[in-house]
Amino acid sequence: MKSGFPERAHVALRDMQLRRNLALATTTIRGKRAAVTGERGDWEELRVAGAAIKRRVLRHLEDYLLQFESSVQRAGGSVHWARDAQEANEIVVQLVRRTGASEVVKVKSLTTDEIGLNDALTAAGIRPIETDLAELICQLADERPSHILVPAIHKNRVEIRDLFRREFGLPDLTEEPTELAGAARAYLREKFLSTAVAVSGANFAVAESGSICVVESEGNGRFCTTLPETLITIVGIEKLVPTLNDLEVFLQLLPRSSTGERMNPYTSLWTGVAPGDGPQEFHVVLLDNGRTNVLADEVGRQTLACIRCSACLNVCPVYERTGGHAYGSVYPGPIGAILTPQLVGTAEAGSLPFASSLCGACAEVCPVKIDIPQVLVHLRGRAIRERTAAGAGERMMMSAAGWALAGERRFRWARRVGRLVQRPFVRENKIERLPGGLSGWTMTRDLPAMPRRSFREWWNGR
Amino acid sequence: MTARDVILARVAEGLRDVPTGELADDIDVPRDYFRTVEGDAVERFIERISAYKTTVKRVAPADLAQRSAEQLRSRGLGRIAIPPDLPDEWLPSGVKLLSSALDVQALDAVDGALTGCALAIAETGTIVLDGGARQGRRALSLVPDYHLCIVDEQQIVGTVPEAIDLIAASVRRMLRPVTFISGPSATSDIELARVEGVHGPRTLDVLVVSPA
Ligand code: SF4
């Protein structure tokens, strides 16, 4: 059986290093984010504008896609359309093959992780080189990134030193972060100067002009989008914004929400091909890969507004304790819990919408005002309806849970009923054995009995 | 059916709930955020870009060549790449200036680059390059390990929306690539310790030209 969130979370919870690193990372970024959003007297107005622009794009996506396509072509680029991951990978492989290159440099891109581009390139005999420091670390260590923003947060400096010593042949390298970064700089610089093809993702794609915007810190994005002769950019169809002026909203929302900076070190914005400056061949691959399924769900649709800032990860108590790997998906944390099941189906990732306590912290920080708890509850209902293989008792309980979790009043009521029903099974505040079809829930662990008073009841009664 | 047709059909199908008569512009986008800020934009720019570990100095127009020469000398830099159209009164003495179009290998071998900019943003401490006058192509301010940028104080705008207004106009007109630079390159990928300079220039110095 494929392991779900509960099994992977169990493994992660035991990993102390990961928990310490994550707690440090999330606390640090949380503090910085709070400071730079707090200093803006118009933060809420920016969020309202960001959400509205995305709503406009998504409700009229067809028009904007067509406008974007013709803008890119007018500016000297080519546009390709990919229904799914496989088609996108085939397009990229073919484009790289045409150049005769055997290596490509890559800018950190969740979208290319999502479609498994690196594996596809490798299978085709093309070596993908990740150029973002953390992605490079993950690539060299053959591990999956664990955080959208700091993908190597699960590794400490000594582990990175050992990895670089081995991979770069630098036996005397110390674990000083400056030295480690210097080693990566030297290694990648040679690649930047000699590689003919780059693959990037996009933070924003502007329908009006065909421009692509990439937001970053290290400068690898600038290198990849400037030096190679050929640039291939993979764009999820939801990344569009209508006009250049709309960037004024997102270039304020994203860095402050993401790294907690007033502005990230580098933002690149390019439009097709510029004679004498940068790549002379430019391709955009517009990717669906499940996005139109998300679009078709009226409640789930708002998920596509996500600008991948990772603020929701950093405030999530579940994420802080389990880490990114537990989600078993490219998109971890609260956004992963709502995006992944919609992209790949609740049959595949049905446990993810349950990986949340519905505390609502994510929705409060989301710069584009995605109501993550609302989508979670909606998807829980869907997952439960689709779990036809489950036993009758469990199915009944699950649909009762789905019903109860879908509304706060109902949830409170169900809690009271639950307290009555559980009585015959409770011993010393634990439920050690449930009957019949529900026994699977207590086979390997005791269930805590429902407390006499919930946290919320206690809080309200203080 | 091509992939394009299929995706467009899926999009249309998925949006059946959107009334046919609805236009994109019918969706209201309230833009009640600040477009301008009060206060001295030049001072704010200096304060904000300094926060990114950038050295900023104010210089009088007449002293520019001398002050940029001093800045380069204090950093121990002797071979500097420049765009072909820098005005004579900007050119520092005592350093070797390379203005012809250098290939990237040659750029990798110089000590630094000296450029102007399109504009700068006070609120965020950002320099914006758009490939226009006194800036050269993108590789010039990217490949060398040092960047000295000269900002005329009249190029400093208060906010991101003010900057985007100007940049959007320039992109529409010339389709030239734009780079926003807020301090030297940085990473926090190793245990969140901030390290300045991974791939871009590890040092960024700024001279703000103000009438005396
Ligand atoms: S859901 Fe919102 S908070 Fe989370 S990554 Fe996306 S935009 Fe950021």
Side-chain angles (χ1 to χ4, degrees), chain A residues 86-104:
Chain A
Q86 195 193 339
E87 191 164 34
N89 289 333
E90 281 165 11
I91 292 168
V92 176
V93 165
Q94 257 178 21
L95 289 172
V96 178
R97 282 218 174 113
R98 252 183 27 206
T99 68
S102 59
E103 288 188 336
V104 300

Side-chain angles (χ1 to χ4, degrees), chain A residues 157 208 246 248 288 301, chain B residues 10 17 31 33 172 191:
Chain A
R157 61 181 77 188
E208 164 198 23
D246 291 322
E248 74 191 19
D288 179 352
R301 183 178 298 157
Chain B
R10 286 178 186 167
D17 60 299
R31 296 183 191 264
Y33 47 86
R172 285 184 200 112
E191 291 185 13

Side-chain angles (χ1 to χ4, degrees), chain A residues 380 383 406:
Chain A
R380 284 177 184 188

Side-chain angles (χ1 to χ4, degrees), chain A residues 163-360:
Chain A
L163 183 69
F164 282 9
R165 279 182 176 178
R166 198 174 64 231
E167 295 292 323
F168 301 157
L170 297 169
D172 302 325
L173 195 66
T174 76
E175 67 268 24
E176 261 311 298
T178 319
E179 247 198 69
L180 295 173
R185 177 186 170 98
Y187 170 78
L188 285 175
R189 180 149 292 235
E190 190 232 310
K191 300 289 177 198
F192 288 137
L193 298 191
S194 62
T195 307
V197 184
V199 178
S200 86
N203 290 100
F204 308 104
V206 185
E208 164 198 23
S209 59
S211 310
I212 303 281
C213 184
V214 166
V215 172
E216 53 141 352
S217 296
E218 296 177 7
N220 57 317
R222 288 177 74 193
F223 268 100
C224 287
T225 58
T226 305
L227 295 192
E229 285 137 41
T230 301
L231 173 59
I232 304 165
T233 299
I234 302 177
V235 182
I237 53 172
E238 83 285 15
K239 292 286 172 71
L240 294 192
V241 298
T243 67
L244 287 159
N245 283 91
D246 291 322
L247 292 175
E248 74 191 19
V249 175
F250 296 108
L251 290 185
Q252 299 194 76
L253 288 174
L254 182 53
R256 286 178 200 257
S257 299
S258 176
T259 45
E261 293 168 299
R262 293 191 178 110
M263 193 62 100
N264 50 290
Y266 298 137
T267 296
S268 298
L269 177 72
W270 72 93
T271 308
V273 169
D277 188 346
Q280 294 304 300
E281 201 182 316
F282 175 52
H283 299 274
V284 173
V285 181
L286 280 172
L287 176 74
D288 179 352
N289 203 33
R291 284 160 176 75
T292 44
N293 295 337
V294 189
L295 191 71
D297 183 325
E298 283 178 54
V299 178
R301 183 178 298 157
Q302 56 183 314
T303 314
L304 295 178
C306 172
I307 57 173
R308 310 280 189 265
C309 71
S310 72
C312 58
L313 277 65
N314 297 325
V315 297
C316 177
V318 177
Y319 176 80
E320 184 172 313
R321 280 162 190 79
T322 60
H325 290 146
Y327 294 82
S329 140
V330 173
Y331 304 102
I335 177 60
I338 58 170
L339 182 58
T340 307
Q342 297 188 81
L343 288 178
V344 305
T346 36
E348 272 286 306
S351 64
L352 286 182
F354 295 90
S356 159
S357 61
L358 296 181
C359 75

Side-chain angles (χ1 to χ4, degrees), chain A residues 287-455:
Chain A
L287 176 74
D288 179 352
N289 203 33
R291 284 160 176 75
T292 44
N293 295 337
V294 189
L295 191 71
D297 183 325
E298 283 178 54
V299 178
R301 183 178 298 157
Q302 56 183 314
T303 314
L304 295 178
C306 172
I307 57 173
R308 310 280 189 265
C309 71
S310 72
C312 58
L313 277 65
N314 297 325
V315 297
C316 177
V318 177
Y319 176 80
E320 184 172 313
R321 280 162 190 79
T322 60
H325 290 146
Y327 294 82
S329 140
V330 173
Y331 304 102
I335 177 60
I338 58 170
L339 182 58
T340 307
Q342 297 188 81
L343 288 178
V344 305
T346 36
E348 272 286 306
S351 64
L352 286 182
F354 295 90
S356 159
S357 61
L358 296 181
C359 75
C362 46
E364 253 165 64
V365 296
C366 179
V368 286
K369 296 178 86 77
I370 299 172
D371 191 341
I372 298 172
Q374 184 201 19
V375 183
L376 278 169
V377 166
H378 173 70
L379 293 175
R380 284 177 184 188
R382 221 166 81 181
I384 288 159
R385 280 193 301 277
E386 286 166 15
R387 272 188 66 170
T388 46
E394 189 176 41
R395 197 159 59 232
M396 241 166 63
M397 197 179 80
M398 281 295 182
S399 52
W403 176 84
L405 288 170
E408 210 198 313
R409 270 255 223 50
R410 291 182 197 169
F411 181 68
R412 269 191 251 139
W413 178 83
R415 204 165 44 201
R416 281 203 304 275
V417 174
R419 264 177 224 139
L420 292 175
V421 174
Q422 71 176 355
R423 264 189 205 160
F425 307 105
V426 177
R427 305 262 177 291
E428 290 174 12
N429 277 329
K430 284 200 190 75
I431 299 175
E432 288 175 4
R433 220 166 326 136
L434 280 171
L438 297 174
S439 59
W441 286 84
T442 48
M443 217 129 68
T444 55
R445 60 196 173 321
D446 300 335
L447 282 182
M450 292 173 74
R452 274 189 309 117
R453 286 199 305 170
S454 73
F455 173 79

Side-chain angles (χ1 to χ4, degrees), chain B:
Chain B
M1 266 191 19
T2 63
R4 180 178 183 272
D5 297 339
V6 171
I7 294 173
L8 289 171
R10 286 178 186 167
V11 169
E13 169 71 18
L15 291 170
R16 269 184 319 182
D17 60 299
V18 176
T20 36
E22 182 183 294
L23 298 175
D25 286 344
D26 293 342
I27 311 252
D28 184 37
V29 176
R31 296 183 191 264
D32 299 329
Y33 47 86
F34 303 147
R35 304 203 73 84
T36 53
V37 278
E38 289 175 12
D40 183 345
V42 180
E43 262 166 32
R44 178 171 292 220
F45 171 71
I46 291 173
E47 172 217 317
R48 295 279 155 100
I49 195 166
S50 304
Y52 304 129
K53 299 214 174 138
T54 300
T55 309
V56 198
K57 289 176 182 162
R58 284 179 99 139
V59 305
D63 301 339
L64 186 54
Q66 193 201 329
R67 296 292 297 279
S68 59
E70 278 169 23
Q71 193 63 29
L72 294 169
R73 217 173 311 126
S74 75
R75 298 271 183 198
L77 306 173
R79 298 179 69 242
I80 301 297
I82 55 170
D85 59 343
L86 280 197
D88 285 348
E89 61 275 20
W90 281 30
L91 300 179
S93 55
V95 292
K96 187 165 168 50
L97 297 173
L98 306 147
S99 67
S100 57
L102 302 174
D103 65 22
V104 289
Q105 307 287 348
L107 277 177
D108 194 33
V110 301
D111 292 336
L114 167 63
T115 74
C117 66
L119 55 97
I121 311 170
E123 173 75 36
T124 54
T126 303
I127 290 163
V128 186
L129 307 179
D130 71 352
R134 302 168 183 185
Q135 298 162 53
R137 65 201 173 107
R138 282 177 291 174
L140 180 63
S141 55
L142 172 64
V143 179
D145 199 8
Y146 173 87
H147 183 196
L148 176 59
C149 187
I150 295 175
V151 180
D152 191 300
E153 70 165 41
Q154 295 186 349
Q155 293 178 302
I156 301 173
V157 301
T159 64
V160 173
E162 287 175 284
I164 295 289
D165 266 344
L166 297 167
I167 284 301
S170 118
V171 169
R172 285 184 200 112
R173 215 173 40 243
M174 297 178 294
L175 305 184
R176 271 200 302 242
V178 180
T179 309
F180 295 72
I181 299 174
S182 307
S185 89
T187 184
S188 301
D189 280 347
I190 301 165
E191 291 185 13
L192 288 181
R194 189 179 160 100
V195 176
E196 259 70 42
V198 195
H199 301 302
R202 282 185 276 201
T203 312
L204 171 68
D205 287 340
V206 174
L207 297 180
V208 176
V209 186
S210 315

